[in-house]
């Protein structure tokens, strides 16, 4: 008679399942629920998804005029979030936006940071549908002045904590004189905002995009604050990195080619590397990757746009699964694949109509929790599940619960629940269950 499958093997098999399946399996027993929701398993599952380039989604949020104007000016209208399978750009799923009339201002580890016109912020996991509202920042700004802000969202590995930053700048409407600026930081573990920089030495613009998280830092394109009253096309822009661990900012070195012109920059992340797309009012210029973070000589130009397709290209979203194409979003929510070998654009016919104004991010579906990290650690240290001596929860093989499952959830889990037969997993390993 075959031996019972070791809990470590069961846990490894679970790491290959999509989030949707894992959430369904949490109702089978307390033991499975405890394992799937444990911080260690969540990290292992996310890491496995990154290594295998699986569980990817394209998340699109509407940023129509409702997101850009005060709620008192227009008719209230809920703006939903659309999620597509990244490998096919199909199977659309409409998600209820937990923050009315909001847009994405950050993405990290499968979590989205949403912000509306009033400055309210919410963290949202589109895979689990869980969300958490952040404390509202009081806007102590003088009336009759222009206020510009931008946000970033990232993860501090050394502290196992999530950060949101908000950079705000206040200037006179008449003359543009700078009145004040600040950089605020929110930590999920503390659930409070703290001011870390009172006078921010860079100028924000009204079309400022969200910060891009790469290598533990959030990246923005800014001009020196001395150019605040200068026309946007005449400013000299730089890339600024805010270090979540040190709570400070530095200017990132750029290729010498990009320091000679009046370029602005669209920032993105491709294959885990910081991506910079220089552009002017005439259109986009090229796409550069910093293949080794912080190393000036590692900047590599991967795309040079022909003049015929420069105009209208917005920004790169992500590599294709085999990294031979780059997904671009253009104006009017039109998407293209850029073939890196054939050096040409291929327009994509999306499965559903999309809003005219939208933001798209490639996101790894994850089980990451929005609880305070301190609470998660405390819960993990007080778990009462039995252990098999390896430190992992002992799986209850006597549980005979049944669940209606999708075909792609595989025959192996039925074997785990009821098994008295032999089965072969997608890992190419055969097990016999009694």
């Amino acid at each position: 008679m075959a031996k019972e499958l070791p809990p470590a093997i069961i846990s490894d098999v679970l790491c290959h399942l999509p989030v949707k399946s894992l959430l369904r399996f949490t109702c089978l027993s307390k033991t499975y629920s405890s394992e799937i929701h444990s911080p260690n398993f969540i990290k292992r599952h996310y890491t496995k998804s990154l290594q295998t380039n699986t569980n990817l989604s394209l998340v699109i949020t509407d940023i129509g005029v409702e997101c850009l104007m005060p709620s008192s000016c227009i008719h209230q209208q809920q703006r939903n979030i659309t999620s597509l399978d990244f490998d096919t750009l199909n199977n659309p799923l409409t998600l209820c936006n937990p923050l009315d009339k909001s847009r994405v201002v950050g993405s990290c580890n499968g979590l989205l940071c949403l912000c509306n016109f009033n400055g309210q912020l919410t963290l949202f996991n589109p895979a689990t549908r869980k969300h958490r509202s952040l404390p509202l920042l009081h806007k102590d700004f003088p009336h009759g002045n222009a206020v510009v802000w931008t946000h970033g969202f990232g993860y501090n590995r050394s502290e196992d904590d999530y950060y949101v930053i908000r950079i705000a700048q206040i200037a006179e409407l008449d003359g543009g004189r700078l009145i004040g600026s600040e950089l605020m930081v929110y930590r999920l573990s503390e659930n409070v905002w703290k001011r870390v920089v009172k006078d921010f030495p860079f100028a924000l613009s009204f079309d400022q995009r969200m910060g891009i998280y790469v290598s533990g830092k959030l990246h923005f394109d800014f001009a020196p604050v001395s150019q605040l009253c200068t026309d946007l096309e005449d400013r000299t822009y730089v890339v600024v990195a805010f270090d979540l661990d040190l709570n400070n900012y530095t200017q990132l070195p750029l290729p010498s080619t990009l320091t000679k012109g009046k370029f602005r920059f669209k920032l993105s992340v491709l294959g885990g590397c910081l991506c910079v797309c220089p552009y002017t009012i005439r259109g986009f210029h090229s796409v550069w990757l910093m293949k080794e973070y912080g190393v000036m000589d590692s900047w590599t130009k991967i795309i040079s746009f022909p003049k015929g397709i420069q105009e209208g290209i917005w920004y790169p979203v992500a590599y294709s699964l085999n990294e031979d194409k780059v997904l671009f979003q253009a104006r009017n929510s039109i998407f293209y694949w850029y073939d890196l070998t054939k050096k040409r654009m291929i327009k994509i016919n999306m499965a559903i109509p999309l809003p005219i104004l939208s933001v798209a991010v490639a996101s790894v579906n994850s089980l990451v929790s929005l609880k305070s990290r301190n609470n998660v650690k405390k819960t993990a240290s007080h778990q009462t599940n039995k252990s098999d001596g390896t430190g992992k929860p002992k799986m209850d093989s006597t549980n005979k619960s049944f669940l209606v499952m999708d075909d792609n959830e595989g025959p192996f889990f039925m074997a785990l629940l009821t098994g008295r037969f032999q089965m072969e997993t997608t890992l190419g390993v055969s097990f016999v269950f009694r």
Side-chain angles (χ1 to χ4, degrees):
M1 187 173 294
K3 293 184 178 180
E4 179 179 319
L5 193 65
I9 297 296
I10 296 177
S11 182
D12 288 340
V13 171
L14 289 175
C15 276
H16 289 78
L17 291 176
V19 172
K20 177 183 176 182
S21 300
L22 292 173
L23 292 176
R24 290 158 61 83
F25 294 152
T26 57
C27 67
L28 294 174
S29 70
K30 291 183 179 179
T31 306
Y32 280 105
S33 178
S34 178
E35 170 70 1
I36 292 170
H37 286 123
S38 68
N40 286 338
F41 179 83
I42 291 173
K43 289 181 180 179
R44 290 174 55 232
H45 180 266
Y46 179 77
T47 301
K48 180 65 69 175
S49 297
L50 291 179
Q51 292 173 345
T52 57
N53 217 13
T54 55
N55 293 323
L56 296 174
S57 293
L58 182 68
V59 181
I60 302 173
T61 55
D62 188 347
I63 57 168
V65 292
E66 290 87 353
C67 299
L68 306 176
M69 299 176 63
S71 57
S72 59
C73 297
I74 51 176
H75 176 69
Q76 296 284 338
Q77 183 175 357
Q78 178 67 32
R79 291 288 173 174
N80 292 322
I81 298 173
T82 301
S83 177
L84 302 167
D85 289 343
F86 188 80
D87 54 345
T88 63
L89 295 182
N90 209 327
N91 301 321
L93 179 64
T94 300
L95 308 175
C96 182
N97 192 330
L99 182 60
D100 188 32
K101 297 189 302 182
S102 63
R103 58 190 177 91
V104 174
V105 294
S107 174
C108 177
N109 294 359
L111 301 178
L112 304 179
C113 183
L114 307 173
C115 180
N116 65 9
F117 178 84
N118 296 317
Q120 293 175 304
L121 290 156
T122 293
L123 300 182
F124 178 50
N125 186 328
T128 64
R129 314 293 198 276
K130 302 293 185 181
H131 70 276
R132 176 170 176 166
S133 298
L134 275 59
L136 183 63
L137 270 172
H138 296 291
K139 296 182 291 185
D140 300 324
F141 304 140
H143 292 289
N145 295 286
V147 180
V148 183
W149 60 52
T150 187
H151 298 83
F153 174 53
Y155 175 67
N156 187 329
R157 289 181 178 273
S158 64
E159 298 183 359
D160 188 25
D161 204 0
Y162 287 90
Y163 283 47
V164 179
I165 74 170
R166 189 196 74 172
I167 306 172
Q169 202 160 68
I170 310 100
E172 292 179 343
L173 285 176
D174 184 12
R177 184 180 65 87
L178 180 65
I179 296 176
S181 62
E182 64 179 11
L183 191 155
M184 304 286 291
V185 173
Y186 167 88
R187 293 179 58 179
L188 183 61
S189 61
E190 298 178 351
N191 197 36
V192 294
W193 288 94
K194 294 181 179 179
R195 181 186 288 112
V196 297
V197 177
K198 185 177 181 181
D199 295 310
F200 193 65
F202 297 98
L204 278 65
S205 59
F206 282 98
D207 61 346
Q208 193 75 53
R209 279 183 50 80
M210 62 185 180
I212 299 299
Y213 175 75
V214 180
S215 296
K217 299 178 179 64
L218 288 165
H219 302 81
F220 304 84
D221 72 313
F222 292 130
V225 73
S226 59
Q227 299 182 6
L228 182 65
C229 300
T230 307
D231 292 339
L232 294 182
E233 60 269 21
D234 293 328
R235 294 181 179 182
T236 302
Y237 286 87
V238 296
V239 175
V240 176
F242 180 81
D243 192 313
L244 297 178
D245 192 18
L246 302 177
N247 272 355
N248 64 12
Y249 51 84
T250 56
Q251 184 174 325
L252 206 64
L254 290 172
S256 58
T257 305
L258 304 185
T259 61
K260 298 175 181 178
K262 297 291 185 179
F263 292 113
R264 284 209 63 183
F265 304 105
K266 294 285 188 183
L267 306 181
S268 183
V269 55
L270 291 179
C273 299
L274 180 65
C275 173
V276 171
C277 304
Y279 69 98
T280 65
I281 57 174
R282 297 180 180 179
F284 276 74
H285 182 270
S286 54
V287 177
W288 294 74
L289 282 187
M290 180 177 263
K291 294 192 173 182
E292 186 176 352
Y293 188 82
V295 178
M296 173 72 174
D297 294 338
S298 70
W299 281 111
T300 304
K301 183 162 62 172
I302 63 170
I303 298 175
S304 292
F305 289 120
K307 292 184 178 180
I309 63 172
Q310 282 184 2
E311 185 178 357
I313 301 299
W314 275 22
Y315 62 93
V317 179
Y319 274 128
S320 61
L321 297 184
N322 54 7
E323 297 191 357
D324 63 341
K325 300 182 184 70
V326 177
L327 180 66
F328 279 86
Q329 182 183 9
R331 291 188 176 94
N332 301 326
S333 294
I334 299 175
F335 289 86
Y336 295 87
W337 283 117
Y338 181 86
D339 192 310
L340 293 170
T341 303
K342 298 179 180 179
K343 303 185 184 304
R344 64 188 181 95
M345 285 284 186
I346 305 170
K347 186 177 179 180
I348 301 171
N349 295 319
M350 303 299 283
I352 56 172
L354 297 175
I356 296 299
L357 297 175
S358 67
V359 171
V361 295
S363 177
V364 178
N365 297 325
S366 75
L367 292 161
V368 173
S369 172
L370 290 169
K371 295 180 181 179
S372 166
R373 315 312 294 170
N374 291 338
N375 290 339
V376 170
K377 293 176 183 177
K378 182 177 180 181
T379 301
S381 64
H382 288 80
Q383 285 181 340
T384 58
N385 294 327
K386 296 179 180 179
S387 171
D388 63 350
T390 65
K392 295 185 178 181
K394 182 179 180 180
M395 295 297 179
D396 184 4
S397 60
T398 63
N399 191 304
K400 302 297 180 182
S401 302
F402 289 89
L403 183 69
V404 177
M405 294 182 285
D406 295 336
D407 292 340
N408 61 2
E409 286 168 358
F412 64 87
F413 214 91
M414 290 302 295
L416 294 180
L417 301 178
T418 63
R420 291 177 179 273
F421 56 89
Q422 180 173 332
M423 63 96 185
E424 184 171 339
T425 72
T426 55
L427 303 179
V429 181
S430 295
F431 298 116
V432 178
F433 295 86
R434 51 180 182 145

